[in-house]
């Protein structure tokens, strides 16, 4: 990655630029997706929403992590996403840098398990694996091949199963 790119915590003033970047990356229909519905009514985990700024593009990347609970035991987990990189800045390591820093921060904060809905070949480079069939259930339609997890602590998925939900109301 170029030395002129800096990674920062998201600021309230970034909201408009992040929304524009997410529209560029995922389209305006993104709010109907199951992973978006899991975020409704909650806030991203403080310290885990990051952006990459680049002099050539006002905002070249963004990532957030959201609180979840899984199953009747309400096992805590994080939902990674959205992760977006400006089309002009893709394949330069921006997304990889955001993931690496976000996951390191999540682990340092004591989080144990992260899930996401995404492309396995891309996220596998960061250690994500496909969730075993039937182990985790999403509250809406999701291609099972795209439901991925990462244990920040070995064994964090052991004994975890059931419906993935947003934080308790």
């Amino acid at each position: 990655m170029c030395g002129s790119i800096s990674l920062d915590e998201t600021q309230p003033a970034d909201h408009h630029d992040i929304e524009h970047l997410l529209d560029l990356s995922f389209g305006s229909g993104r709010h109907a997706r199951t992973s978006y519905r899991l975020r409704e009514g909650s806030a991203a985990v403080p310290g885990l929403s990051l952006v990459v700024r680049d002099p050539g593009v006002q905002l070249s990347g963004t990532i957030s992590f959201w609180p979840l609970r899984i199953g009747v035991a309400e096992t805590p987990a994080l939902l990674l996403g959205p992760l977006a990189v400006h089309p002009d800045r893709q394949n330069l390591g921006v997304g990889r840098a955001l993931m690496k820093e976000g996951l390191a921060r999540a682990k340092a904060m004591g989080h144990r398990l992260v899930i996401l809905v995404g492309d396995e070949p891309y996220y596998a480079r960061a250690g994500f694996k496909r969730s075993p069939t039937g182990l985790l259930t999403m509250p809406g339609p999701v291609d099972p091949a795209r439901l991925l997890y990462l244990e920040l602590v070995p064994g964090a998925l052991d004994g975890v199963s059931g419906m993935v939900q947003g934080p308790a109301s």
Side-chain angles (χ1 to χ4, degrees), residues 4-21:
S4 64
I5 296 174
S6 66
L7 189 142
D8 299 306
E9 285 192 28
T10 301
Q11 301 300 314
D14 295 323
H15 178 77
H16 176 75
D17 292 335
I18 289 171
E19 289 298 310
H20 176 70
L21 179 58

Side-chain angles (χ1 to χ4, degrees), residues 19 21-31 33 36:
E19 289 298 310
L21 179 58
L22 295 175
D23 283 344
L24 277 176
S25 299
F26 303 112
S28 59
R30 61 190 162 89
H31 295 283
R33 294 181 180 170
Y36 268 84

Side-chain angles (χ1 to χ4, degrees), residues 48-107:
L48 296 181
S49 289
L50 307 169
V51 294
V52 170
R53 302 177 198 287
D54 180 358
V57 177
Q58 187 168 2
L59 196 69
S60 59
T62 184
I63 192 171
S64 293
F65 293 81
W66 303 78
L68 295 176
R69 52 196 172 95
I70 302 172
V72 293
E74 297 193 350
T75 302
L78 293 174
L79 176 68
L80 184 159
L83 168 63
V85 176
H86 192 282
D88 293 342
R89 304 300 294 159
Q90 292 181 354
N91 300 312
L92 299 174
V94 173
R96 192 169 26 257
L98 284 164
M99 255 196 305
K100 182 179 178 183
E101 180 66 18
L103 292 169
R105 288 180 181 209
K107 184 173 183 174

